[in-house]
């Protein structure tokens, strides 16, 4: 059983929440996210969006290791079951997440990291007069495939530095959209297995990073209605060689959960 909402629906959902036009070719938005934003903010929009992208965390991790996700769940109001695109490789999935189109349209259909030529949120946000920042670990897909946009790039050497940099950006309160990419769990499943001690600890680090970012938003963005999203790109499975892998059309790789939270402006 695959989740029914497609990864191609996220870009328009974020644009709708911000009250801006979606990327030019983006798929329709997610009705659940639209309803959540309307229910929570009424006629207002999210004037800040923070998207945390931990690599490789699937639906089955939430099912099997629910306790690990408690800090994410208590800091979210909405869980959205998503089906990522195929083949479920990192650059393929993130390209669809931020353009709203299928791999056959954005052009990344295998593990390669060219600059995506199709219109994306990193184009739509600046076009609407808003500012975007992309914080990512060097050499990662997220650090490469959305270059050449009028976006502030913060390419750093580690997950920890990415979170640190993002907190600084939140404190400076200058960007309408901030995306933050972390990769430790993906690295660990390929080096070890999807459920090794090191891998599970990596999930724990990603959960903690999310809480750190949420805390920074609560501390610094009190004048804004902020949408926060915990949005992995794909899941993973045990490969024949015992290591973790992904890129196949199977539930463990395709099904992911995204977690949404709105932190409303604080009345003075
Ligand atoms: Zn990935």
């Amino acid at each position: 059983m695959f989740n029914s909402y497609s990864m191609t629906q996220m870009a328009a959902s974020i644009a709708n929440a911000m009250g801006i036009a979606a990327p030019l070719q983006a798929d329709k938005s997610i009705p659940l996210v639209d309803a959540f934003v309307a229910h929570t903010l009424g006629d207002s929009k999210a004037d800040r969006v923070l998207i945390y992208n931990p690599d490789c965390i699937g639906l089955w991790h939430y099912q099997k290791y629910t306790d690990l996700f408690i800090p994410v769940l208590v800091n979210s109001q909405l869980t959205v079951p998503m089906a990522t695109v195929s083949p479920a490789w990192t650059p393929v999935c993130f390209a669809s997440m931020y353009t709203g189109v299928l791999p056959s349209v954005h052009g990344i259909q295998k593990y390669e990291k060219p600059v995506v030529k199709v219109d994306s949120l990193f184009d739509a946000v600046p076009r609407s007069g808003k500012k975007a920042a992309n914080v990512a670990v060097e050499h990662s897909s997220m650090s490469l495939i959305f270059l050449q946009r009028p976006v502030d790039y913060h390419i750093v050497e580690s997950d920890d530095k990415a979170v640190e940099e993002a907190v600084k950006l939140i404190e400076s309160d200058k960007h309408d959209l901030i995306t933050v990419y972390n990769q430790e769990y993906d690295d660990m499943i390929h080096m070890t297995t999807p459920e090794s001690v090191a891998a599970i600890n990596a999930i724990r680090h990603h959960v903690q990073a999310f809480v750190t970012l949420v805390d920074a938003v609560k501390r610094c963005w009190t004048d804004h209605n902020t949408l926060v999203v915990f949005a992995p790109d794909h899941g993973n499975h045990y490969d024949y060689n015992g290591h973790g892998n992904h890129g196949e059309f199977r539930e463990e790789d395709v099904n992911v959960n995204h977690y949404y939270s709105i932190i409303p402006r604080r009345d003075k």
Side-chain angles (χ1 to χ4, degrees), residues 54-57 88-91 93-94 111 141 181 186 190 232-235 246:
D55 205 313
C56 211
I57 300 176
W89 295 112
T90 303
C93 299
F94 281 124
Y111 191 78
S141 299
Y181 169 77
D186 190 277
H190 294 293
D233 49 346
H234 55 75
H246 49 94

Side-chain angles (χ1 to χ4, degrees), residues 10 14 18 20 46-54 97-98 121-122 125-126 130-136 142 151-155 161-182 210 213-214 216-217 220-221 224-231:
M10 179 171 161
I14 300 299
M18 299 179 83
I20 66 169
D47 57 325
R48 289 282 186 271
V49 175
L50 176 80
I51 302 176
Y52 179 59
N53 291 136
M97 181 187 292
Y98 285 103
L121 266 184
F122 297 106
V125 167
K130 294 176 185 286
K131 273 175 78 85
N134 176 350
V135 187
M142 279 300 289
V151 163
D152 288 341
Y153 297 98
H154 295 262
I155 310 304
K161 288 265 190 281
V163 176
E164 252 174 60
E165 191 67 24
V167 168
K168 279 188 211 155
L169 291 173
I170 295 165
E171 287 169 347
S172 73
D173 193 14
K174 287 189 192 128
H175 297 89
D176 305 276
L177 169 70
I178 300 177
T179 62
V180 188
Y181 169 77
N182 272 180
F210 178 74
L213 296 170
V214 167
V217 166
C220 305
W221 284 357
H224 303 285
N225 291 316
T226 301
L227 176 67
V228 181
V229 192
F230 180 106

Side-chain angles (χ1 to χ4, degrees), residues 237-268:
H237 64 269
Y238 280 85
D239 211 355
Y240 63 91
N241 61 11
H243 288 292
N245 206 351
H246 49 94
E248 293 183 12
F249 189 66
R250 49 197 285 168
E251 290 175 14
E252 307 100 292
D253 290 12
V254 169
N255 286 338
V256 297
N257 264 355
H258 286 177
Y259 308 94
Y260 284 72
S261 170
I262 288 175
I263 301 169
R265 180 180 19 240
R266 238 180 271 161
D267 287 327
K268 295 250 164 65

